[in-house]
Amino acid sequence: MSESGLPDFGKVLQGAVNRAVDALVTGYGEQLDGLGGLLTGPVRLVEAGLLQLPVWLGVVLVAVAAWLGRREVLFAAAMAALPLALALLGVWLEAMQSLALIVVAVSMVVLLGLPLGIAAARLPRVSRVLAPVYDLMQTIPSFVYLIPVAMVLGLGRAPALVATLIYALPPFARLSELGLRAVDGGLVQASRALGLGRWQTLWLVELPLARAAILQGLNQAIMMALAMVVVASMIGAKGLGEIVLLGLQRADPGLGFVGGMAIVLLAILLDRMAQTMLTRR
């Protein structure tokens, strides 16, 4: 009984969750270790590739990509200055670690979110089932699911990747669904009348017409994945968030400011480059 005299179902729920997590860890420890390795493998691979890049080459690649995207010298120079600033702040290694996690997480968001958006756009029942799930994923505090995920998968990249996926998936899936729903039904019917099958109509007509909404969802997913950088550091993920966390733990405001400034620079770089490259025609 609680202090109010009512039954304390919170303790019942707490015990049930603890028993479920304990049973999962005890009964499937080896399989969970394998799952953790499977999740961290791509992150390690991308991180190793990024860390092979010299700073000067990274700056040049960003400048070339920015120039190809917008054909503006000033924009290309501004974008090149951002990775250079990360190097000058002494956080190049941490920035590449965070970038690797973001790249893999956003790739998983696309692989999972696009089929979900297509299914929800075509099947209203699926949309009604997924809507409260997305609401829960977007509103529940990340620390609520970080604790059991970290206990199940251990500390490090694996739980950070899962947490980022949970946080970044809903906006992409929802905007993909909205974009597909907004496609003119007359155009779809006309394509079917011309002999295109369902999948051909989807790939050749519906997805291209929904491109703007899907790309906006992708941009949102990138930004939300970056927003998880600091939280991910609390469960052992390496990167820029770890610098901020160390500044907090050591009561070192200067270190925290450097980490925060680096996150802002990386956010600007990813946002501007994503908008430029994704909206190219």
Side-chain angles (χ1 to χ4, degrees):
M1 298 288 288
S2 64
E3 295 181 359
S4 62
L6 298 173
D8 191 349
F9 290 109
K11 291 190 177 299
V12 176
L13 180 60
Q14 175 186 348
V17 171
N18 287 338
R19 287 191 296 272
V21 172
D22 290 341
L24 191 61
V25 173
T26 303
Y28 301 93
E30 293 184 3
Q31 292 87 338
L32 292 173
D33 288 340
L35 177 60
L38 184 64
L39 290 172
T40 58
V43 181
R44 292 180 183 276
L45 184 63
V46 174
E47 182 181 314
L50 290 173
L51 291 177
Q52 291 297 316
L53 291 175
V55 174
W56 66 268
L57 182 56
V59 173
V60 169
L61 289 176
V62 169
V64 171
W67 165 253
L68 293 175
R70 194 176 291 190
R71 303 288 180 176
E72 296 179 8
V73 175
L74 185 60
F75 177 73
M79 291 299 98
L82 294 173
L84 180 59
L86 291 172
L88 292 175
L89 286 174
V91 295
W92 181 262
L93 170 63
E94 291 81 2
M96 295 303 101
Q97 290 172 332
S98 294
L99 184 58
L101 181 63
I102 292 169
V103 167
V104 175
V106 172
S107 299
M108 293 178 64
V109 165
V110 173
L111 291 175
L112 293 174
L114 190 58
L116 288 174
I118 293 170
R122 290 193 165 183
L123 303 171
R125 290 184 179 179
V126 174
S127 179
R128 287 194 293 270
V129 170
L130 289 176
V133 176
Y134 293 152
D135 292 338
L136 182 64
M137 292 169 69
Q138 287 187 292
T139 56
I140 188 170
S142 56
F143 292 103
V144 173
Y145 53 79
L146 274 179
I147 298 172
V149 169
M151 291 182 63
V152 169
L153 296 177
L155 299 178
R157 297 176 178 88
L161 185 60
V162 172
T164 305
L165 179 62
I166 293 173
Y167 193 59
L169 177 63
F172 178 77
R174 277 182 153 152
L175 284 171
S176 298
E177 177 187 350
L178 277 173
L180 290 168
R181 285 187 182 276
V183 173
D184 188 350
L187 294 176
V188 175
Q189 292 177 3
S191 65
R192 297 296 298 276
L194 290 173
L196 294 181
R198 291 176 62 89
W199 288 106
Q200 289 176 312
T201 302
L202 174 65
W203 290 108
L204 298 177
V205 178
E206 295 179 76
L207 287 176
L209 290 175
R211 179 174 180 269
I214 293 173
L215 293 181
Q216 182 62 34
L218 183 58
N219 184 261
Q220 289 295 310
I222 293 171
M223 291 299 99
M224 297 189 80
L226 181 60
M228 286 295 292
V229 166
V230 176
V231 177
S233 68
M234 298 182 181
I235 51 174
K238 302 293 184 180
L240 294 174
E242 187 179 25
I243 298 176
V244 178
L245 184 62
L246 285 174
L248 179 63
Q249 292 174 339
R250 298 174 182 176
D252 186 340
L255 182 61
F257 184 80
V258 169
M261 181 61 67
I263 292 173
V264 170
L265 293 174
L266 185 59
I268 295 172
L269 176 63
L270 290 176
D271 181 57
R272 297 298 184 270
M273 291 299 297
Q275 288 185 17
T276 300
M277 301 305 294
L278 294 176
T279 56
R280 281 187 65 195
R281 294 189 179 273

